[in-house]
Amino acid sequence: MSDKITIAIDGYSSCGKSTLARELAKSLHYVFIDSGAMYRGVTLFALRNGGIANRELNRGLLISMLDQIELKFVLNPETKSPELLLNGENVESNIRTPEIASFVSEVAAIKEVRTKLVAEQQQMGNQGGIVMDGRDIGSVVFPSAELKLFITAEIEIRVERRYQELIFRGTPTSRDDVRENLLRRDHIDSTRKESPLIQTSDAILVDNTKLSKSEQLEVAEQFVERAISTLA
Ligand code: DC
């Protein structure tokens, strides 16, 4: 029996889920999938094709265009991280903007969008050996994942991390704008009708407010070891 497990990492926006999932996948030689990138990819497609116009989301139009959207990941040979392809175009930097962040939660609340992306995510993980982060990974995408982590951190730490990330990318923003966007997305993501963000009863809570990246990775690696040892 393969000892490659499935690892689901969920939590609020900018809690460091993707950073942890990426590092964990590297250290375990697993596949890493940032499911939020896929919702961002659909949002970018909507912005470019009239599904979002005049700052309004046209749900019906976006739903009717869903079968024109092809999402894939390719490995960046330098960073060894997966990057998103939208209909063949590498859009990794286009999907990390405040504009995408301001619409993505509304797009992710659409049932038809979730049905499409969840099916694709389940397909990507059907061999195990995957670390996927998002909002519904432990609850909907991989409910039988051998390890589920729910990541949390204090809001001001999350604001600072996202603010620094945007500044590093050269995107002008303010801490107040970042805070407002995070709180708005937290609210939409956890109160929406379709698979809201929840901590499942079998998920382990990790508060990384006071943890460095390497400390957080160490904590997660201990949970992985424990999960694998209970399989043997
Ligand atoms: O992790 P992120 O900030 O890149 O995610 C972008 C948005 O996508 C987030 O506001 C909620 C949504 N999302 C979701 O609903 N389900 C997922 N599995 C991943 C992300």
Side-chain angles (χ1 to χ4, degrees):
M1 179 190 180
S2 158
D3 62 357
K4 288 206 164 189
I5 62 171
T6 297
I7 303 175
I9 301 186
D10 290 298
Y12 293 101
S13 300
S14 294
C15 277
K17 302 180 302 293
S18 297
T19 305
L20 174 62
R22 181 183 299 110
E23 294 301 314
L24 200 53
K26 263 188 203 160
S27 89
L28 298 167
H29 303 289
Y30 280 19
V31 171
F32 157 58
I33 298 292
D34 167 3
S35 68
M38 300 171 73
Y39 290 93
R40 288 169 180 267
V42 173
T43 306
L44 179 63
F45 181 91
L47 275 163
R48 286 177 171 180
N49 294 281
I52 298 170
N54 304 319
R55 302 205 60 80
E56 282 289 326
L57 171 64
N58 183 334
R59 291 167 48 98
L61 182 60
L62 177 56
I63 291 168
S64 74
M65 295 189 297
L66 282 178
D67 60 2
Q68 298 169 32
I69 304 177
E70 188 195 64
L71 299 168
K72 280 196 178 142
F73 287 96
V74 278
L75 214 57
N76 178 319
E78 276 166 38
T79 61
K80 308 267 185 281
S81 273
E83 298 189 342
L84 188 74
L85 298 187
L86 167 60
N87 294 337
E89 175 192 348
N90 188 320
V91 292
E92 191 55 34
S93 57
N94 310 64
I95 59 170
R96 308 284 167 194
T97 63
E99 190 183 25
I100 296 288
S102 70
F103 289 110
V104 65
S105 284
E106 275 98 332
V107 169
I110 301 174
K111 183 172 164 220
E112 289 80 356
V113 170
R114 304 202 70 81
T115 303
K116 171 183 168 72
L117 298 195
V118 167
E120 293 176 11
Q121 290 153 5
Q122 288 172 333
Q123 178 70 28
M124 291 170 186
N126 64 7
Q127 304 289 317
I130 190 165
V131 188
M132 190 176 290
D133 80 285
R135 305 295 187 291
D136 60 341
I137 310 304
S139 58
V140 175
V141 181
F142 300 128
S144 316
E146 288 86 355
L147 178 62
K148 299 181 186 177
L149 299 177
F150 191 90
I151 313 296
T152 175
E154 279 170 16
I155 182 69
E156 287 312 315
I157 289 283
R158 295 165 53 204
V159 169
E160 194 58 30
R161 287 176 185 159
R162 179 54 60 102
Y163 174 76
Q164 295 298 345
E165 184 190 321
L166 287 168
I167 295 299
F168 178 75
R169 287 175 190 276
T171 309
T173 187
S174 69
R175 289 182 177 82
D176 284 346
D177 284 352
V178 170
R179 185 180 304 101
E180 194 189 310
N181 175 259
L182 289 189
L183 292 173
R184 203 175 129 262
R185 285 204 285 145
D186 284 357
H187 179 73
I188 299 176
D189 296 343
S190 52
T191 57
R192 69 182 176 218
K193 207 167 127 233
E194 298 301 328
S195 21
L197 169 65
I198 49 157
Q199 182 189 346
T200 58
S201 59
D202 52 353
I204 301 168
L205 183 69
V206 177
D207 182 337
N208 67 23
T209 304
K210 297 200 168 76
L211 299 180
S212 66
K213 283 183 193 170
S214 59
E215 286 168 336
Q216 167 171 252
L217 179 62
E218 261 175 52
V219 169
E221 283 172 341
Q222 286 166 12
F223 289 127
V224 173
E225 267 176 42
R226 206 202 283 170
I228 291 176
S229 70
T230 60
L231 289 183

